[in-house]
Amino acid sequence: MSMKEIGLGKALAMTCRAGRMTPGERKELAQKRLKELAAYAGQNSPYYGRLYKGLPEDWKLTDLPTVNKVDLMAHFDMWLTDRTVTEEAVNSFMEDRENIGRLMDGKYLIFTTSGSTGSPLVVLYDKTCMNISSALSVLRAYARKEDLSAFIKKGKRTASIFAEGFYLGSGSVKYQLRRMPWKKGMMMNLDVRTPTAEIVEKLNRFSPVMLGGYPSGLELLADEQAAGRLHISPAIVMTGGELLRDEVREKLADAFGGYVQTNYSCTEGGTMCHECVNRHLHINDEWIMIEAVDEDNRPVPDGTQSAKILLTNLANKVQPFIRYEVSDRIVMHHEECGCGCGEQEGMDGVVTLVDEDGVEHGFEIIDMVELDGAQYVAVVPADEEPEEDDESDELVLLKVVAEGVEEFLEAIESEEEFNRVSAVFMERLKDDYDFVEGEE
């Protein structure tokens, strides 16, 4: 049994499509993916093969045994579904800090947890896992569309303050910079352990439009801003890695003037939840399953704080996390939030494309189709002010093109190909867009 790789273009379109689904449809999709992942893990991971031996044919999630960090790391070489990767090889790769953000064997990003609960965990992301994580971050990061618009219009300079190393935050930034070196002047990560005065000096020179980091670290920078030593005005402040308390949120908003929000992420699950305008965290439930449980892994009622969670990451097939114990304590709710999250308007996102002059433009993904073995996306400009008499968006059709391990979106050059693709999109989107005959 094999599981197909998911490229970035498809991951973006799948994320948009899931945003248009009902909660029931997303749950059904997640259940299908769970069955596929568990079967793949059982066949390709000796650890899971032993664990799942004797499962009933009609098993459900709660029938699967739970797993934990200590036991998984003790059986690392038996855990991975890629039988060519060993713990010794991974540790050797991580001995060289120049490998932060590099792909091991040209295939895997390597991250590690901090070991705050006793022992660190080493995690591999393959291409599919990276692309899904990127799609979720790109399309669901912003609680408010106006903040995304401000981020684009003010130059998109992003500064993050996380611990430097093979950690999810800093490692992801390094990976992006290695893939897109032209963004070097647009993205930076500062080690949170750097002296505050040095961080302040670099931030003042960089003038970030987005500021990200641990709430505790950003709170110290808010003090620097209040004291007049730091003078930046980010359009958006994104926190992560720690609980964002209400008083810290307000302090950051007062100090920096921009909108402040958070997310719920971990190395094992990537971005598991995104925050809405009501300050509620919504699970990316087409790829992530979270069970709130007590000390004995029994479910706790809604509104009750859990002792821990059981995490299932449906996107990671090389190193499956299925009902994996995480020591985070959460309070789960299933009542309606009222924010509109999960509806099309709240879930669409923006990707950045570079034109022939090197100028970046934001586009909102509307739809994606596969036709004759190729993938195409329909997008509309997201970073330009419409004319007063313009009542419609300009729909742009692009083709997903692979170059090596990377994927890009480019214009459809063939008129015959464009006509075939546009006919498909016009039929799919006729209820949402007014098409003028003879115009594209």
Side-chain angles (χ1 to χ4, degrees):
M1 178 183 182
S2 63
M3 295 185 74
K4 291 183 179 180
E5 281 192 343
I6 297 174
L8 181 57
K10 187 168 185 177
L12 290 165
M14 290 169 75
T15 303
C16 285
R17 191 170 297 160
R20 301 186 182 104
M21 293 179 178
T22 65
E25 289 172 334
R26 287 198 303 276
K27 183 177 181 179
E28 183 177 344
L29 177 60
Q31 290 295 330
K32 177 177 178 290
R33 289 171 174 167
L34 173 64
K35 291 285 185 179
E36 292 173 351
L37 177 62
Y40 184 82
Q43 291 180 18
N44 294 278
S45 162
Y47 179 88
Y48 277 103
R50 173 180 55 81
L51 204 62
Y52 290 171
K53 190 174 182 179
L55 275 178
E57 192 170 319
D58 58 345
W59 58 263
K60 54 186 181 294
L61 177 64
T62 52
D63 292 326
L64 300 178
T66 62
V67 297
N68 61 75
K69 177 170 61 177
V70 173
D71 196 49
L72 287 173
M73 285 303 296
H75 299 87
F76 189 87
D77 289 351
M78 306 293 286
W79 173 16
L80 304 187
T81 60
D82 184 342
R83 308 304 304 135
T84 67
V85 180
T86 65
E87 184 176 14
E88 181 181 4
V90 172
N91 289 337
S92 176
F93 181 83
M94 294 176 62
E95 286 176 359
D96 186 354
R97 291 179 63 84
E98 288 299 312
N99 286 330
I100 297 172
R102 293 186 191 276
L103 296 180
M104 178 182 170
D105 298 333
K107 295 190 293 185
Y108 303 119
L109 263 184
I110 308 296
F111 298 119
T112 182
T113 61
S114 63
S116 59
T117 57
S119 56
L121 176 80
V122 177
V123 181
L124 281 67
Y125 278 36
D126 65 1
K127 181 180 178 181
T128 292
C129 194
M130 286 183 265
N131 289 333
I132 291 170
S133 181
S134 295
L136 291 172
S137 296
V138 167
L139 299 181
R140 297 181 184 171
Y142 293 85
R144 309 187 311 177
K145 284 192 173 183
E146 58 263 39
D147 299 315
L148 174 58
S149 178
F151 172 67
I152 293 172
K153 291 176 182 177
K154 293 182 179 181
K156 297 183 285 187
R157 292 179 306 280
T158 303
S160 55
I161 296 91
F162 292 109
E164 191 75 34
F166 285 91
Y167 304 121
L168 183 62
S170 62
S172 297
V173 172
K174 285 284 184 71
Y175 172 65
Q176 295 297 332
L177 289 174
R178 291 187 190 281
R179 289 178 62 239
M180 300 173 285
W182 61 87
K183 285 185 173 288
K184 189 173 182 180
M186 305 293 291
M187 300 172 65
M188 67 183 301
N189 181 71
L190 300 173
D191 195 324
V192 70
R193 294 161 294 196
T194 301
T196 301
E198 184 178 337
I199 293 177
V200 167
E201 188 271 331
K202 289 182 177 180
L203 287 177
N204 281 334
R205 280 195 284 113
F206 188 70
S207 187
V209 179
M210 179 195 292
L211 179 65
Y214 309 119
S216 57
L218 296 181
E219 187 177 12
L220 295 176
L221 293 179
D223 292 335
E224 294 295 308
Q225 182 95 345
R229 292 182 288 271
L230 179 64
H231 39 85
I232 60 175
S233 53
I236 181 78
V237 178
M238 294 270 195
T239 76
E242 299 171 353
L243 174 67
L244 176 61
R245 304 190 313 275
D246 288 342
E247 61 270 23
V248 174
R249 188 193 296 263
E250 302 309 322
K251 181 176 181 178
L252 296 179
D254 290 343
F256 298 116
Y259 187 74
V260 180
Q261 64 175 87
T262 191
N263 63 64
Y264 180 24
S265 303
C266 71
T267 310
E268 301 93 328
T271 304
M272 301 188 296
C273 303
H274 60 281
E275 188 179 60
C276 72
V277 292
N278 290 339
R279 300 184 178 181
H280 296 154
L281 291 167
H282 294 259
I283 302 172
N284 293 316
D285 55 3
E286 76 270 36
W287 289 111
I288 296 293
M289 293 179 166
I290 295 177
E291 302 170 72
V293 296
D294 62 17
E295 288 287 357
D296 298 314
N297 292 331
R298 296 173 301 200
V300 299
D302 277 11
T304 304
Q305 182 172 275
S306 70
K308 53 186 170 181
I309 68 169
L310 299 178
L311 164 67
T312 299
N313 181 354
L314 300 172
N316 193 335
K317 65 179 174 59
V318 69
Q319 190 177 18
F321 291 93
I322 305 174
R323 304 201 78 204
Y324 168 77
E325 295 182 15
V326 180
S327 59
D328 294 351
R329 293 175 293 176
I330 68 168
V331 177
M332 186 78 81
H333 293 273
H334 286 92
E335 63 266 28
E336 195 70 34
C337 173
C339 66
C341 223
E343 299 172 2
Q344 180 174 345
E345 178 67 18
M347 294 293 282
D348 283 341
V350 169
V351 294
T352 299
L353 303 177
V354 182
D355 65 20
E356 61 271 16
D357 298 319
V359 179
E360 293 186 343
H361 303 275
F363 286 88
E364 186 174 0
I365 295 179
I366 302 301
D367 197 10
M368 179 266 191
V369 299
E370 294 188 31
L371 185 65
D372 299 330
Q375 298 175 1
Y376 304 88
V377 295
V379 300
V380 294
D383 58 348
E384 298 175 2
E385 293 290 345
E387 299 293 335
E388 288 187 8
D389 60 349
D390 185 9
E391 297 181 354
S392 63
D393 291 319
E394 176 188 1
L395 198 65
V396 179
L397 306 184
L398 299 168
K399 185 175 184 177
V400 181
V401 179
E403 292 186 13
V405 299
E406 305 296 346
E407 287 189 333
F408 303 90
L409 298 177
E410 65 177 32
I412 304 171
E413 300 293 342
S414 165
E415 181 177 355
E416 186 272 335
E417 181 183 10
F418 181 86
N419 289 338
R420 284 190 295 109
V421 174
S422 63
V424 173
F425 277 116
M426 287 172 68
E427 177 62 27
R428 290 167 62 93
L429 301 174
K430 62 184 180 182
D431 294 334
D432 300 312
Y433 288 85
D434 294 324
F435 295 99
V436 179
E437 189 69 28
E439 295 185 9
E440 305 296 353

